[in-house]
Amino acid sequence: MHTISESVTRKFVESFDIDDFQIESDTGWVDVTHLNVTVPYQKYILKTTNCYLECADDHIVFDRDHNEIFVKDLSSGSFIMGQHGLEEVLSVTVTNEYENMFDLSVTGNHTYYAEEIGRAHV
């Protein structure tokens, strides 16, 4: 099955090896292998019932059917997978700010929770 994470090219400006650090994923705790710093991306703010996340437009989350979806394609009333179940999207706000983003490389199925929201690593 083709996923959108296979079609996204991240532009990393730095990458750091990480040892002895784990992060929670939908399959349990997984090893983090790298911390990656991206080129500046336009900042989006995603607010759900219980979560708040600052991210890039092409930050990938999972919808209620576990399909990958970009944050920029979400709207109020959408549902995404959170660490504790479904989260209703309250708002997606585009800012005028551009920032370097951080991305983790992890073992396993390349997914992890960022601010309690399920996230696909590219």
Side-chain angles (χ1 to χ4, degrees):
M1 175 174 79
H2 175 73
T3 59
I4 62 175
S5 59
E6 294 171 343
S7 64
V8 175
T9 303
R10 296 271 187 224
K11 295 183 171 95
F12 297 136
V13 294
E14 289 184 88
S15 185
F16 302 94
D17 291 337
I18 302 291
D19 290 324
D20 299 322
F21 188 79
Q22 292 189 321
I23 193 165
E24 193 169 2
S25 77
D26 58 335
T27 60
W29 291 91
V30 294
D31 292 328
V32 176
T33 61
H34 294 85
L35 169 66
N36 307 294
V37 182
T38 71
V39 296
Y41 281 93
Q42 188 171 19
K43 184 169 74 173
Y44 278 56
I45 299 172
L46 170 62
K47 292 182 185 175
T48 69
T49 311
N50 299 300
C51 301
Y52 173 93
L53 180 68
E54 295 180 3
C55 58
D57 59 340
D58 60 1
H59 183 95
I60 300 169
V61 296
F62 297 96
D63 68 14
R64 68 180 335 144
D65 298 316
H66 299 275
N67 298 309
E68 293 180 356
I69 185 169
F70 290 125
V71 165
K72 67 182 175 187
D73 295 330
L74 294 172
S75 58
S76 296
S78 300
F79 284 86
I80 61 173
M81 297 304 299
Q83 189 169 0
H84 306 291
L86 284 177
E87 290 281 336
E88 182 177 0
V89 174
L90 301 177
S91 64
V92 178
T93 305
V94 182
T95 73
N96 290 324
E97 299 174 51
Y98 286 78
E99 295 181 3
N100 296 87
M101 302 288 174
F102 297 91
D103 191 24
L104 300 176
S105 296
V106 300
T107 58
N109 65 3
H110 303 289
T111 62
Y112 58 90
Y113 292 111
E115 300 298 323
E116 297 188 6
I117 296 173
R119 182 226 200 286
H121 164 72
V122 179

